[in-house]
């Protein structure tokens, strides 16, 4: 029973009953956060499912006045040995770092941002054309990714579609509008592959393997590039809500482009810190699969996002994922008597199943 009755709440409840017909017609599951945000303009309340418990509320749990110096690494560094060391240190001690001079032209990044922003600004009906269905799996336009135990919701909508390799791409889930969406995403995917190949090489060398070994261990050229666009509309109570709740990514690596609105936070020593926005940098997250295959040497980073009262935040993470049937476990060269295996070896799809259903790995 909810006792949260305010002007917004009433409007919200009315809209909810209107939606019942829409639900029947279109089998839509939930209201988009974008729609809730447009109803919540100029008020300072929001539906109670977005209000976090005190141990999660950003206003209470964020360490203010400190800008966390997540390493910013210049990939054009000519001394490869130094670069390997910088990246290995960052992956070990932070699980997250930013890279600059990465070789992706600024224009390719601004086009990616431009076409994705235009898609989210289309009328609702046009976005719903590529909404997720029970059959579409992860791909498509949606709102809820994972049900939270206490029924809480994140202040975010999203779009998922694969961008590489060609046999797994399903253009059904790529926006047709704006017309340049496809070209911009293809161009970004092409450039991103070079960056990710280099990152795998440096990470591999950083734990004493040969350059090619780590990428091979996650599926080689069958590695799947899954793009997500996060859309965080302005939120009436950014002090109480979260965008994406605390998590580590299931992927090998995640390479993310944000827009200019601050929002990413990482957890370190008991506090949440803002990660500073660096124009045109890529934010690299170490995901669970790299932690596993490095047998814990590299650490998957716990992160979350906050939202903004006036501005829309958006981000474009690409999750580099092993093929579903591919088995991932600690690389045998990294396991010995002093360093016994810390993780199970299992198919990536089984790892995903356990993580999404909150089952032990
Ligand atoms: C995610 C995520 C961070 C961001 O979608 O997994 O962590 O900055 N996003 O939006
Ligand atoms: Ni994430």
């Amino acid at each position: 029973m909810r006792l949260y009755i305010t002007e917004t709440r009433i409007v919200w409840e009315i809209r909810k009953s209107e939606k019942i017909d829409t639900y029947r017609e279109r089998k839509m599951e939930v209201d988009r956060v974008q729609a809730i945000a447009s109803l919540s303009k100029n008020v300072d309340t929001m539906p109670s499912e977005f209000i976090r418990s005190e141990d999660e509320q950003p206003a209470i749990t964020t360490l203010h006045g400190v800008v966390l110096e997540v390493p910013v690494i210049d990939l054009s560094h000519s001394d490869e040995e130094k670069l390997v060391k910088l990246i290995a240190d960052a992956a070990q001690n932070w699980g997250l770092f930013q890279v600059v001079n990465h070789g992706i032209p600024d224009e390719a990044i601004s086009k990616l941002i431009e076409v994705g922003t235009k898609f989210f600004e289309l009328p609702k009906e046009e976005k719903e054309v590529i909404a997720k269905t029970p059959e579409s799996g992860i791909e498509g336009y949606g709102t809820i990714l994972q049900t939270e135990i206490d029924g809480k919701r994140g202040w975010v909508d999203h779009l998922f579609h694969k961008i590489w390799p060609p046999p797994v791409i399903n253009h059904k889930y790529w926006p047709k509008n704006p017309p340049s969406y496809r070209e911009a995403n293809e161009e970004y995917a092409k450039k991103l592959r070079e960056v990710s190949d280099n990152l795998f090489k440096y990470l591999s060398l950083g734990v004493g393997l040969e350059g090619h070994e780590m990428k091979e261990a996650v599926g080689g050229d069958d590695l799947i590039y899954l793009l997500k666009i996060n859309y965080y509309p302005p939120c009436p109570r950014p002090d109480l809500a979260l965008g994406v709740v605390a998590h580590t990514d299931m992927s090998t690596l995640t390479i993310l482009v944000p827009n200019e609105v601050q929002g990413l936070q990482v957890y370190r020593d008991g506090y949440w810190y803002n990660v500073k926005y660096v124009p045109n940098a890529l934010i690299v997250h170490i995901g669970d699969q790299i932690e596993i295959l490095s047998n814990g040497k590299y650490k998957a980073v716990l992160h979350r996002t906050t939202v903004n009262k006036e501005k829309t935040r958006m981000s474009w993470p690409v999750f580099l994922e092993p093929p579903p049937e591919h088995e991932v476990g600690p690389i045998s060269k990294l396991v010995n008597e002093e360093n016994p295996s810390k993780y199970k070896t299992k198919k990536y799809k089984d790892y995903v199943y356990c993580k999404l259903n909150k089952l032990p790995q």
Side-chain angles (χ1 to χ4, degrees):
M1 174 78 181
R2 287 187 198 114
L3 292 170
Y4 188 78
I5 299 172
T6 65
E7 201 185 327
T8 337
R9 187 74 209 164
I10 294 161
V11 176
W12 160 244
E13 294 296 354
I14 294 167
R15 283 302 182 105
K16 225 174 177 176
S17 55
E18 278 173 12
K19 283 279 158 55
I20 292 170
D21 295 332
T22 327
Y23 176 82
R24 288 208 188 103
E25 280 162 31
R26 312 199 47 164
K27 300 198 173 55
M28 264 163 31
E29 276 173 45
V30 286
D31 293 282
R32 304 302 178 201
V33 174
Q34 193 172 10
I36 299 166
S38 63
L39 291 174
S40 322
K41 259 187 209 152
N42 307 321
V43 292
D44 60 1
T45 53
M46 62 186 174
S48 57
E49 53 264 58
F50 294 99
I51 301 176
R52 293 284 150 187
S53 61
E54 288 200 348
D55 59 352
E56 282 190 291
Q57 289 174 12
I60 307 178
T61 57
T62 301
L63 193 59
H64 291 285
V66 181
V67 180
L68 184 67
E69 292 302 316
V70 163
V72 179
I73 300 174
D74 182 348
L75 287 188
S76 67
H77 219 296
S78 57
D79 184 342
E80 190 177 272
E81 230 171 86
K82 267 204 188 126
L83 197 50
V84 167
K85 189 166 173 354
L86 287 172
I87 288 180
D89 278 355
Q92 208 173 324
N93 300 320
W94 297 85
L96 185 135
F97 51 96
Q98 309 209 42
V99 294
V100 293
N101 296 324
H102 39 62
I104 302 188
D106 294 354
E107 203 199 338
I109 293 180
S110 47
K111 286 242 170 77
L112 176 82
I113 292 180
E114 184 191 314
V115 296
T117 306
K118 282 202 175 134
F119 169 73
F120 275 91
E121 286 168 353
L122 291 175
K124 179 179 172 53
E125 298 68 41
E126 286 191 52
K127 294 193 288 278
E128 295 296 344
V129 170
I130 55 169
K132 285 184 190 191
T133 61
E135 302 79 48
S136 67
I138 188 90
E139 291 187 280
Y141 172 59
T143 295
I144 287 178
L145 249 194
Q146 210 177 332
T147 20
E148 290 188 47
I149 304 159
D150 52 4
K152 294 286 176 202
R153 292 179 60 186
W155 193 264
V156 61
D157 296 324
H158 62 250
L159 168 67
F160 271 106
H161 61 72
K162 294 172 191 159
I163 55 171
W164 193 260
V168 305
I169 293 178
N170 192 341
H171 285 114
K172 202 168 118 187
Y173 301 109
W174 290 42
K176 295 276 175 297
N177 235 333
S180 54
Y181 187 91
R182 181 162 167 172
E183 193 191 342
N185 277 261
E186 284 175 347
E187 181 62 15
Y188 180 69
K190 186 170 138 207
K191 300 283 182 201
L192 187 65
R193 279 161 48 217
E194 292 168 26
V195 179
S196 80
D197 283 353
N198 282 328
L199 289 171
F200 276 116
K201 181 174 85 181
Y202 301 140
L203 287 165
S204 206
L205 295 170
V207 284
L209 297 169
E210 285 173 44
H212 60 92
E213 287 182 277
M214 206 168 264
K215 184 168 172 200
E216 258 158 39
V218 292
D221 289 340
D222 296 328
L223 189 70
I224 294 167
Y225 289 58
L226 174 65
L227 172 76
K228 180 188 186 195
I229 306 181
N230 286 305
Y231 184 86
Y232 307 96
C235 176
R237 294 303 302 266
D239 53 332
L240 304 178
L242 283 176
V244 177
V245 296
H247 67 286
T248 59
D249 290 350
M250 289 183 273
S251 57
T252 61
L253 296 177
T254 303
I255 305 180
L256 179 145
V257 168
N259 74 352
E260 74 292 349
V261 181
Q262 182 71 54
L264 179 60
Q265 295 191 325
V266 297
Y267 188 73
R268 202 176 154 91
D269 306 330
Y271 288 98
W272 286 98
Y273 296 81
N274 294 321
V275 176
K276 85 170 175 215
Y277 168 68
V278 177
N280 292 310
L282 302 173
I283 304 175
V284 181
H285 301 58
I286 299 293
D288 297 344
Q289 306 310 306
I290 292 279
E291 176 170 326
I292 293 169
L293 59 87
S294 71
N295 202 27
K297 175 130 197 253
Y298 295 143
K299 296 281 183 304
V301 63
L302 190 63
H303 57 285
R304 70 177 188 186
T305 54
T306 59
V307 290
N308 189 282
K309 195 161 172 75
E310 281 94 32
K311 294 181 192 150
T312 296
R313 178 165 190 270
M314 290 182 72
S315 68
W316 285 257
V318 174
F319 301 97
L320 308 182
E321 301 197 312
E325 300 289 338
H326 189 83
E327 282 195 348
V328 182
I331 292 181
S332 54
K333 282 190 192 169
L334 304 178
V335 176
N336 52 42
E337 263 176 36
E338 290 111 75
N339 257 321
S341 175
K342 291 188 189 144
Y343 306 87
K344 276 193 201 144
T345 296
K346 56 161 75 176
K347 285 185 177 169
Y348 184 60
K349 68 169 189 195
D350 296 333
Y351 187 90
V352 171
Y353 181 84
C354 291
K355 181 123 172 176
L356 292 179
N357 292 291
K358 301 190 164 63
L359 300 168
Q361 289 293 345

